[in-house]
Amino acid sequence: MRAKKTLVMLFLLAALAALLPAAGSGGAPNGALAASISTLAQGPGQSPESKPRPDSAREVVMLVAGGDVGGRLFHLVPNALFVSSTDAAQVYEPRSGRLEPTRGRLHDSREGATATLLADGKLLIAGGLRCVNGIFGSRCAALDTAELYDPASGRFVTAGAGSGGKMSSARAGHSATLILGCNCAADGKVLLAGGISGSIKTTLRGIVSSVPLATAELYDPVKDAFVAVKAKMKDRRQNHCAAPLVGGQVLIAGGDDAGYFEHALSAAEIYDPKTNSFLPAGTMQTARELAQATTLERQVVKGSLAGDVLISGGLVTSGRLMGDSSSTAELYDPRAKRFIAIASHMSSPRTNHSAVLLASGPLAGTVLIAGGIQLRGDGTARGVRQVSYAPADIYDPSVDGTGEFRPTGDLNEARGGHAFALLSGGPNSGEVLVV
């Protein structure tokens, strides 16, 4: 009997290993946040404390902070997410080509946090999970704290002094979007929407998540305060995608209204900063969670699709642990207020991939989509499978009415849930860094 129980335990642990990302080596920790930040380029022999150089010397580098250092669940199963969060932070230095530690560390160990560049050049890091590994598996709790990273000092300070150093709610799996161009009181504020406020546990039954939120809040960088939005979203959601629209509105689409890998949404809505309310935005062609939303910015993209939002890939979930990653994509047209399927498909199904609008060079106006994970399940923990991908695609919005995907060079390593940022200034200007 004991041998039979041992075999069952080993079988369940193997199933859990298939559900969670395997621990890797090198690069950024899984679940780390990444963001482009503007910093003063240092000349030869010049230290950060030296007299600042002119603005023309500014360059955009990449901050990588937090994430999960991985470990062995139940002391047996090696995994790299929802295990053990870190407070470490690094900056990619274009001139050395290396990731260098920042002067300070995060005040809270966190993974899956959001990072939003503010108008003053500081970076808002909000929410996420703090995960701790234990004898009976790991447990992750959503955080109600946020931090500001100052690239001038290389240090982190607690955000929200005007609201007691706290967000209105703990959040993980939420979205964070800078509001610009509304010509209203919300200009320069950050909308944080949805997510979960409870916990995520990894058990022998897989990942168990608390119920998502329908609430939202605004971060005001002038008052350094978080304020709850009185209106609620039409749907509870986590792991959704969000993108800014012309006029300061924010598109919020898809996600999961039941938990993690439970039930994907096709519903979408728009946050209107002028009325501080949420409005229906129609229904996506495909229900998706963990998709990417990329605004085809008018300053960069020319033609009829300028201003539209590209929504790519994601996990199409029909039930608990039942679904598959998608190779499809669609466009949101804010003028017609509708979603349009793109006939062309990506070369691989993708979840947790990167999608970056290229602003310069021969591919200016196109979107680079790289890596990602194909995650699929048959409704049981033992039936969940995942494969990381190296292939990449270019989405060209100038082709065939709704745009076209075409394969481009592969990543050197297959990866998903990776950190990525578009660099500008310095020797790597116009290139995309993937860590």
Side-chain angles (χ1 to χ4, degrees), residues 23-27 413:
S25 60
E413 296 180 20

Side-chain angles (χ1 to χ4, degrees), residues 113-420:
T114 54
T116 312
L117 187 64
L118 305 176
D120 63 1
K122 294 180 181 178
L123 192 73
L124 175 69
I125 298 166
L129 295 165
R130 182 195 289 119
C131 298
V132 179
N133 200 10
I135 296 175
F136 301 105
S138 67
R139 183 178 181 86
C140 305
L143 293 168
D144 64 356
T145 61
E147 312 185 29
L148 291 169
Y149 176 72
D150 184 350
S153 67
R155 300 187 184 280
F156 299 87
V157 297
T158 300
S163 52
K166 301 287 186 180
M167 298 161 55
S168 297
S169 174
R171 296 183 190 273
H174 58 290
S175 60
T177 312
L178 181 67
I179 297 170
L180 289 175
C182 71
N183 294 318
C184 64
D187 255 330
K189 297 180 181 179
V190 179
L191 174 71
L192 299 102
I196 62 166
S197 61
S199 64
I200 290 180
K201 294 185 292 184
T202 51
T203 71
L204 295 178
R205 296 188 299 112
I207 298 173
V208 180
S209 168
S210 58
V211 176
L213 300 167
T215 62
E217 58 191 283
L218 290 168
Y219 173 70
D220 185 341
V222 175
K223 297 180 179 179
D224 188 20
F226 292 91
V227 180
V229 175
K230 291 183 180 179
K232 291 187 177 182
M233 295 188 291
K234 311 302 177 186
D235 292 283
R236 299 175 178 269
R237 61 182 86 220
Q238 69 164 335
N239 295 332
H240 52 282
C241 56
L245 302 174
V246 174
Q249 293 184 327
V250 178
L251 173 69
I252 299 169
D256 196 310
D257 64 355
Y260 180 90
F261 203 166
E262 297 258 2
H263 179 255
L265 291 169
S266 60
E269 47 198 299
I270 286 177
Y271 172 72
D272 186 345
K274 292 183 178 179
T275 61
N276 202 26
S277 62
F278 294 92
L279 308 170
T283 303
M284 291 194 295
Q285 299 290 321
T286 301
R288 314 166 188 265
E289 59 181 294
L290 297 169
Q292 286 284 357
T294 311
T295 303
L296 304 179
E297 299 173 8
R298 292 181 180 276
Q299 309 94 294
V300 179
V301 176
K302 308 303 177 186
S304 61
L305 301 185
D308 285 10
V309 177
L310 170 69
I311 298 175
S312 57
L315 182 61
V316 182
T317 310
S318 56
R320 175 166 170 74
L321 303 181
M322 183 179 295
D324 199 348
S325 298
S326 177
S327 62
T328 68
E330 52 193 283
L331 292 165
Y332 177 70
D333 182 346
R335 297 167 295 278
K337 294 183 172 58
R338 63 182 181 129
F339 291 89
I340 305 166
I342 298 174
S344 174
H345 286 196
M346 296 181 290
S347 59
S348 303
R350 304 177 192 274
T351 296
N352 281 345
H353 53 288
S354 55
V356 182
L357 177 64
L358 303 178
S360 61
L363 294 176
T366 66
V367 179
L368 172 65
I369 296 174
I373 298 169
Q374 181 177 16
L375 180 61
R376 60 171 54 174
D378 62 4
T380 65
R382 69 177 181 272
V384 175
R385 297 290 182 269
Q386 64 170 355
V387 178
S388 297
Y389 283 123
D393 293 303
I394 290 292
Y395 171 72
D396 188 344
S398 68
V399 179
D400 291 340
T402 58
E404 178 184 71
F405 292 96
R406 63 176 183 268
T408 187
D410 290 359
L411 295 170
N412 289 319
E413 296 180 20
R415 59 182 83 209
H418 46 282
F420 61 95

Side-chain angles (χ1 to χ4, degrees), residues 38-117:
S38 179
T39 182
L40 286 174
Q42 305 299 327
Q46 185 180 25
S47 70
E49 290 76 19
S50 303
K51 184 178 178 180
R53 301 175 70 194
D55 283 347
S56 60
R58 286 191 177 273
E59 61 188 7
V60 174
V61 299
M62 181 181 184
L63 172 74
V64 180
D68 199 302
V69 297
R72 290 183 177 271
L73 293 174
F74 310 104
H75 300 285
L76 292 171
V77 185
N79 282 294
L81 198 61
F82 305 149
V83 181
S84 182
S85 306
T86 179
D87 61 357
Q90 305 170 85
V91 170
Y92 174 76
E93 299 287 355
R95 296 175 189 282
S96 68
R98 294 195 302 267
L99 284 164
E100 303 287 355
T102 55
R103 292 191 188 87
R105 300 174 74 92
L106 291 166
H107 290 264
D108 285 305
S109 298
R110 62 180 84 217
E111 59 187 90
T114 54
T116 312
L117 187 64

